[in-house]
Amino acid sequence: MTEELIDIKSLHCGISFKKVDLHVHSPGSSDSEWGDINEFQFLQFFEQKGFELIAVTDHNSGEWIDRIVKAAKAQRDQNGWKLHVIPGVEVSAAGTHLVILFPDDTDSRKIQHFSSSDMFLVCSARSCWLHGHVESECGKSLA
């Protein structure tokens, strides 16, 4: 396997590897273990580890996304950092978690509205995710 990876890395056809994490919780997440740090210190951790992309997906919240996106852009512009941030949220419902990623221009207000809405319903009879206005098996509206 290692030899195959070395062979792939030696190809010069536009392929490159990026260090990314698409499920990161910020200090603003309800289950944060970051302690008392600011957005710069949060981003610095990932920049120093060589990440080029992270998706901030706090539990049911977008509270920190604006300040994190702004700080990441400032560090790229002023200090040449490579780190980019994708806004996201981890929606919790019925013991399940959905990680949802948004376009990079999505602000915390939109994420808060999304995560606090009744957009996702759980059909307990089938334990499946339903979106929007649906009818249950007995014909009653679930929306």
Side-chain angles (χ1 to χ4, degrees):
M1 183 73 156
T2 304
E3 290 175 18
E4 291 171 358
L5 185 57
I6 291 169
D7 289 343
I8 292 171
K9 284 185 167 185
S10 69
L11 297 175
H12 296 285
C13 58
I15 296 173
S16 65
F17 288 88
K18 306 287 184 191
K19 192 169 183 179
V20 302
D21 189 335
L22 298 178
H23 186 179
V24 172
H25 295 288
S26 80
S29 190
S30 62
D31 65 340
S32 173
E33 296 180 4
W34 287 99
D36 187 25
I37 65 170
N38 63 35
E39 58 275 14
F40 171 75
Q41 294 165 317
F42 171 75
L43 292 168
Q44 188 175 35
F45 171 84
F46 293 99
E47 178 69 20
Q48 289 176 344
K49 299 229 180 263
F51 283 86
E52 291 187 44
L53 179 70
I54 61 171
V56 176
T57 57
D58 292 343
H59 282 278
N60 305 307
S61 172
E63 181 181 341
W64 271 58
I65 198 62
D66 293 339
R67 66 179 100 172
I68 290 172
V69 168
K70 183 178 178 181
K73 182 177 182 340
Q75 290 301 322
R76 284 193 311 275
D77 293 346
Q78 297 168 11
N79 299 318
W81 282 19
K82 293 183 178 184
L83 185 62
H84 289 264
V85 176
I86 296 175
V89 67
E90 184 172 354
V91 177
S92 303
T96 294
H97 298 250
L98 285 176
V99 172
I100 301 165
L101 306 180
F102 296 95
D104 62 358
D105 62 345
T106 305
D107 63 18
S108 61
R109 182 183 54 79
K110 290 177 185 172
I111 293 173
Q112 284 298 116
H113 175 71
F114 178 87
S115 63
S116 65
S117 72
D118 290 332
M119 192 169 217
F120 290 93
L121 301 170
V122 178
C123 175
S124 60
R126 292 190 178 169
S127 298
C128 60
W129 288 95
L130 303 173
H131 176 267
H133 184 82
V134 294
E135 300 293 322
S136 71
E137 289 187 21
C138 63
K140 295 181 181 175
S141 175
L142 297 176

